[in-house]
Amino acid sequence: MPRSSEDKHNHCIEQCFAQENQVAPGAPGPAKNRAFSYRGRRLVLEALNRDIELEAIVVVDNYLDKESELLERLDTVTAVSPALFKELVTTSSPCKVVAIGRWQLSDLNATLKDGATTVLWGENIQDPGNLGTMIRSALAFGVDALVLTSSVDPFNPKVVRSAMGGLFDLPICLCPLNRAANCSNSTSLK
């Protein structure tokens, strides 16, 4: 049975959200550039302010009637029923707007060459909320970069939410512990 245009559109949105947590085939750990969700008004606006290309923006029906600032900034927005939105956004108290976009993690060597001298090293950080808090704290204390080894995925929705936009301001590098140690020994890091 052929799908209606609405069914095709909903399927497209579901596919986009399904990509959010997929890791590139054969990649060890989290992909360095992959789609993830910006959940809530503040993060969507922050992504728009940073000119991040958003692949999909989905809102609950009638949300934009109350959100003139977002409405002025968005070219294409998909409004869906509250039931479909709840399926797409699996948090216990979902927001009313979510966007899918890509973000590039930093390369450790390039970050060090760009002058990062105060680096926070995180090994085996498992709690997403803790990592988000570390990102915010690192920014508050003037840290130049965050290096993670064997840690929770920085694209995890809970990390993104608890970092409160800090992902955009702090270079985050993923690398194996031995490579991180070699880099720290060969540079003048604090």
Side-chain angles (χ1 to χ4, degrees):
M1 182 166 128
R3 292 182 175 171
S4 69
S5 62
E6 184 176 329
D7 287 343
K8 286 180 184 176
H9 189 70
N10 288 345
H11 178 71
C12 179
I13 293 168
E14 289 170 356
Q15 290 297 99
C16 188
F17 276 81
Q19 290 177 20
E20 175 186 8
N21 291 316
Q22 289 180 350
V23 175
K32 291 190 176 185
N33 179 4
R34 91 159 187 258
F36 73 102
S37 64
Y38 301 85
R39 299 174 187 209
R41 177 184 183 277
R42 182 175 185 268
L43 277 178
V44 171
L45 283 173
E46 189 71 28
L48 290 168
N49 289 337
R50 308 258 180 174
D51 295 324
I52 294 170
E53 185 177 337
L54 300 176
E55 298 174 12
I57 302 168
V58 182
V59 298
V60 175
D61 286 335
N62 300 321
Y63 176 71
L64 289 177
D65 294 343
K66 303 170 197 163
E67 268 303 327
S68 60
E69 185 178 2
L70 272 176
L71 186 58
E72 292 169 5
R73 308 269 317 267
L74 305 176
D75 296 327
T76 56
V77 177
T78 303
V80 297
S81 70
L84 178 57
F85 194 86
K86 189 174 181 179
E87 286 180 37
L88 295 172
V89 182
T90 58
T91 54
S92 58
S93 56
C95 52
K96 303 292 184 201
V97 58
V98 75
I100 295 291
R102 295 197 174 272
W103 188 251
Q104 178 72 40
L105 291 174
S106 300
D107 176 71
L108 180 57
N109 289 331
T111 300
L112 296 175
K113 284 179 186 173
D114 286 343
T117 57
T118 305
V119 177
L120 177 62
W121 303 87
E123 181 185 6
N124 203 25
I125 310 301
Q126 297 303 309
D127 185 87
N130 288 348
L131 180 56
T133 301
M134 286 176 63
I135 292 168
R136 290 193 331 267
S137 298
L139 287 167
F141 285 100
V143 170
D144 297 320
L146 171 63
V147 177
L148 297 173
T149 61
S150 304
S151 294
V152 66
D153 183 358
F155 293 121
N156 179 300
K158 290 180 180 178
V159 173
V160 175
R161 191 170 49 248
S162 65
M164 298 174 58
L167 283 173
F168 305 120
D169 295 318
L170 183 68
I172 299 175
C173 310
L174 302 178
C175 69
L177 183 59
N178 60 347
R179 182 167 168 244
N182 289 340
C183 285
S184 70
N185 291 335
S186 65
T187 60
S188 57
L189 296 174
K190 296 179 190 174

